[in-house]
Amino acid sequence: MEAPPPPSLSVVVPMFNEETVIPALVARLRPILDGIGMSYEVVAVDDGSRDATARMLVEQRRDWPQLRTIRLRSNSGHQAALTAGLRRAYGDWVVSMDADLQDPPEMITEMVAEARERDLEVVYAVRVDRSADSLFKRVTAGAYYRLMRRVIGTRMPAQAGDFRLLSRAAVEVLRQLPERSPVYRMLVPSLGFASGSVTYTRERRAAGDTKYPVHKMASLAWQSLADFSAAPLRVATWLGSVAFVFCLILIVFGLAAWAAGTVIPGWTSLFLAMLMLAAVQLICLGLLGEYVSRIYAVVQNRPSFHIAYDSAAPDGTPVVPV
Ligand code: UDP
Ligand code: MG
């Protein structure tokens, strides 16, 4: 059987335990894509959900043939799910978006129009109004984007998450990179594609709760920093230098006290200084360990996800090894 021609547009949607959101997502996304005037596919990546997500996707697929589903064997994280989706999205344009309708699907039309009109390879959807997000989310996200812009430079659009449009050429560039599952919001701007942006107001989550608990947020932030900057390693040098200068000053004081004949009653300060230095050394070792473990992971070259099922394959199993 001959393979069908690739669609013009792919929409990649990572999902983790999104059973409550799927009906609303389908109800809103489908009419938009049906009316967009392009052939399309929706690549729903079920990131090892433990609720009814997998079953619901299979059901939805029965009367929506453009919906493809890929299931990962275990929860591998948002960025890994995106990687799986991008590797198996065949459209000339590929949009990635969240499942919870915080990224309004109506923007897809605008993003495609912007890319075509200005001949762009990447169009970011930038959140100009996040009042629907919690105060905690806004504050942590604000700090994250400020820090990451310092790392990547002004090429990184602030408040652009993973709602973006990529051209086929850009997707191919991403596919060829050796990274296992990069932080796309950092990686894409760093590659220097011809890019533009459209703006939107962040909506409330359509249903259910966030799938990004604090530990996943912290892990994304650390990954973003460590993968794109060696600055934390330089912190070790700085801390060491400060401690060294401090020690020199102490030596001068000690010598002066010795010359003056006063005995320094210094057990506590001695003990604290030792403890402090030991702590600084351990922190620095830990930082070094973080980078070494990242090198180790790259050398091992293990995939960051395993595909259990791909509805595009005739028997549902992976079509291409990943
Ligand atoms: N997600 C995922 N795997 C995870 C966590 C999240 O695929 O381990 C998906 C989730 O289903 C959603 C998107 O990533 O489609 C963004 O997650 P969420 O909306 O919960 O994050 P928030 O908007 O609260 O930052
Ligand atoms: Mg969300």
Side-chain angles (χ1 to χ4, degrees):
M1 202 177 72
E2 218 177 292
S8 300
L9 175 70
S10 299
V11 181
V12 175
V13 195
M15 296 181 184
F16 177 52
N17 291 346
E18 297 288 13
E19 62 180 6
T20 50
V21 151
I22 291 173
L25 174 70
V26 173
R28 191 147 150 213
L29 183 60
R30 187 167 183 182
I32 292 165
L33 294 178
D34 282 344
I36 206 166
M38 299 162 86
S39 58
Y40 71 87
E41 63 176 357
V42 174
V43 184
V45 186
D46 171 6
D47 185 12
S49 298
R50 292 181 276 269
D51 65 356
T53 298
R55 186 173 50 76
M56 290 176 80
L57 285 174
V58 170
E59 269 164 27
Q60 293 288 348
R61 205 177 121 69
R62 281 203 195 113
D63 68 349
W64 194 15
Q66 288 98 327
L67 175 67
R68 283 177 46 207
T69 66
I70 294 176
R71 179 164 165 81
L72 306 188
R73 278 190 205 288
S74 57
N75 182 224
S76 312
H78 182 200
Q79 303 298 304
L82 266 178
T83 307
L86 287 178
R87 292 223 184 132
R88 277 145 190 267
Y90 304 117
D92 301 328
W93 299 102
V94 180
V95 171
S96 51
M97 62 178 268
D98 290 356
D100 59 1
L101 292 173
Q102 285 204 284
D103 303 335
E106 291 76 14
M107 297 304 299
I108 296 174
T109 321
E110 256 182 64
M111 288 156 97
V112 174
E114 178 77 5
R116 282 184 167 158
E117 201 172 299
R118 295 184 43 214
D119 203 13
L120 301 173
E121 292 170 292
V122 180
V123 178
Y124 303 103
V126 174
R127 300 167 275 215
V128 280
D129 178 357
R130 289 192 74 149
S131 50
D133 278 325
S134 68
L135 182 66
F136 177 72
K137 188 85 190 178
R138 289 203 304 265
V139 170
T140 49
Y144 171 85
Y145 285 106
R146 266 195 305 281
L147 180 63
M148 295 313 149
R149 257 169 96 95
R150 287 191 74 129
V151 172
I152 290 277
T154 45
R155 276 170 307 170
M156 166 131 180
Q159 297 295 346
D162 285 306
F163 189 21
R164 75 175 83 71
L165 173 98
L166 298 165
S167 67
R168 168 79 355 224
V171 172
E172 290 305 321
V173 170
L174 293 178
R175 272 185 176 175
Q176 264 144 43
L177 293 175
E179 269 153 287
R180 295 159 72 239
S181 56
V183 181
Y184 286 101
R185 66 190 71 178
M186 301 285 289
L187 180 66
V188 175
S190 75
L191 295 175
F193 293 119
S195 63
S197 57
V198 294
T199 54
Y200 74 103
T201 302
R202 186 81 160 154
E203 292 184 19
R204 241 173 235 291
R205 197 173 225 288
D209 294 320
T210 177
K211 304 301 174 302
Y212 255 97
V214 176
H215 72 91
K216 277 192 186 170
M217 277 164 64
S219 145
L220 182 77
W222 172 248
Q223 204 192 334
S224 310
L225 189 62
D227 282 356
F228 290 87
S229 164
L233 284 178
R234 262 171 249 135
V235 170
T237 319
W238 275 105
L239 285 176
S241 313
V242 170
F244 182 70
V245 171
F246 187 62
C247 274
L248 285 182
I249 296 170
L250 276 186
I251 288 172
V252 172
F253 268 109
L255 284 176
W258 176 70
T262 33
V263 180
I264 309 168
W267 279 109
T268 318
S269 55
L270 192 68
F271 189 69
L272 285 180
M274 276 172 59
L275 207 63
M276 177 73 180
L277 276 179
V280 167
Q281 286 182 21
L282 284 178
I283 291 172
C284 299
L285 263 182
L287 278 178
L288 209 62
E290 282 283 343
Y291 281 86
V292 173
S293 72
R294 304 185 97 73
I295 300 171
Y296 185 50
V298 174
V299 173
Q300 280 179 317
N301 199 20
R302 284 193 198 138
S304 55
F305 56 85
H306 294 275
I307 291 180
Y309 169 86
D310 181 344
S311 64
D315 60 353
T317 48
V319 240
V320 242
V322 268

